Amino acid sequence: MSTTPNKPVAGKKADKGFVYLPLIAGWLVPGAGHFLQGKWIRGTLLAVSIVSMFALGLAMQGKIYTSVQEILDMLCVAGDLGSGLLYVVGRMAGWGAQPIQTTVAEYGTKFIVVAGLLNIIAAVDAHNLRTGRKQ
Amino acid sequence: MFQPSHFAAVLLFALFASTVFGITMRDTPRGMVRYGAYCFILFVGAAIVLSWVMLLIAR
């Protein structure tokens, strides 16, 4: 009977450097986690998708959540925070501060939240590439 | 202000979400394209089907 542990096969590069750097970089700047590992096309597509979604959300007069009024707002704040520096820049610049008044603005708000959630998925993917769990 | 139609908003959402899903959920470029296209069709198809269901319920 085999007693080999069921661990993912990690490449040699997983032993060098800070393993969580692509995760953190990918969270702060969309696509940066992939750029750090030379995955230029994947990183570019991810960055374009996430930044476009965030920007279109703002263009639709979507709202960036800043405080928690209800329990569901907490989830939206968590989603917005997934955008990393985009969220910080948006808050500093005062983008998305106006209240939601139209249906399109509601869609825009969801675009911004989902952009953050997609960025978290992309950052975790960059971490998986770094650890060798994914090729 | 950018004011897309509801269907255009669905198409944009599906395009960006499918791109990220395709890249992150598959290992090979071919698999990424196939899975991305699959997700896009499911997003848009589900929106169309649910729209018809809501129309029928509203009558």
Side-chain angles (χ1 to χ4, degrees), chain A residues 24-90:
Chain A
I24 295 168
W27 169 58
L28 290 174
V29 180
H34 289 76
F35 292 147
L36 282 176
Q37 297 167 92
K39 305 283 185 186
W40 302 104
I41 297 174
R42 291 187 203 183
T44 303
L45 286 171
L46 289 170
V48 167
S49 298
I50 292 163
V51 174
S52 298
M53 205 158 186
F54 187 86
L56 283 175
L58 288 175
M60 288 187 235
Q61 293 194 328
K63 172 184 165 189
I64 294 180
Y65 284 88
T66 54
S67 60
V68 177
Q69 310 289 333
E70 300 169 23
I71 190 81
L72 283 178
D73 287 352
M74 200 183 296
L75 298 174
C76 293
V77 170
D80 280 0
L81 281 170
S83 298
L85 289 180
L86 288 176
Y87 178 80
V88 176
V89 171

Side-chain angles (χ1 to χ4, degrees), chain A residues 5-12 14 128-135:
Chain A
N6 190 19
K7 283 184 179 176
V9 180
K12 281 184 181 177
N128 287 339
L129 285 168
R130 178 68 178 81
T131 57
R133 204 173 292 163
K134 187 184 174 193
Q135 298 300 313

Side-chain angles (χ1 to χ4, degrees), chain A residues 6-15 19-20 23 37 39 42 121 123-135, chain B residues 23-28:
Chain A
N6 190 19
K7 283 184 179 176
V9 180
K12 281 184 181 177
K13 65 179 180 179
D15 300 330
V19 178
Y20 296 102
L23 179 70
Q37 297 167 92
K39 305 283 185 186
R42 291 187 203 183
I121 294 175
V124 171
D125 185 62
H127 178 66
N128 287 339
L129 285 168
R130 178 68 178 81
T131 57
R133 204 173 292 163
K134 187 184 174 193
Q135 298 300 313
Chain B
I23 291 171
T24 56
M25 301 296 171
R26 292 292 181 270
D27 288 339
T28 62

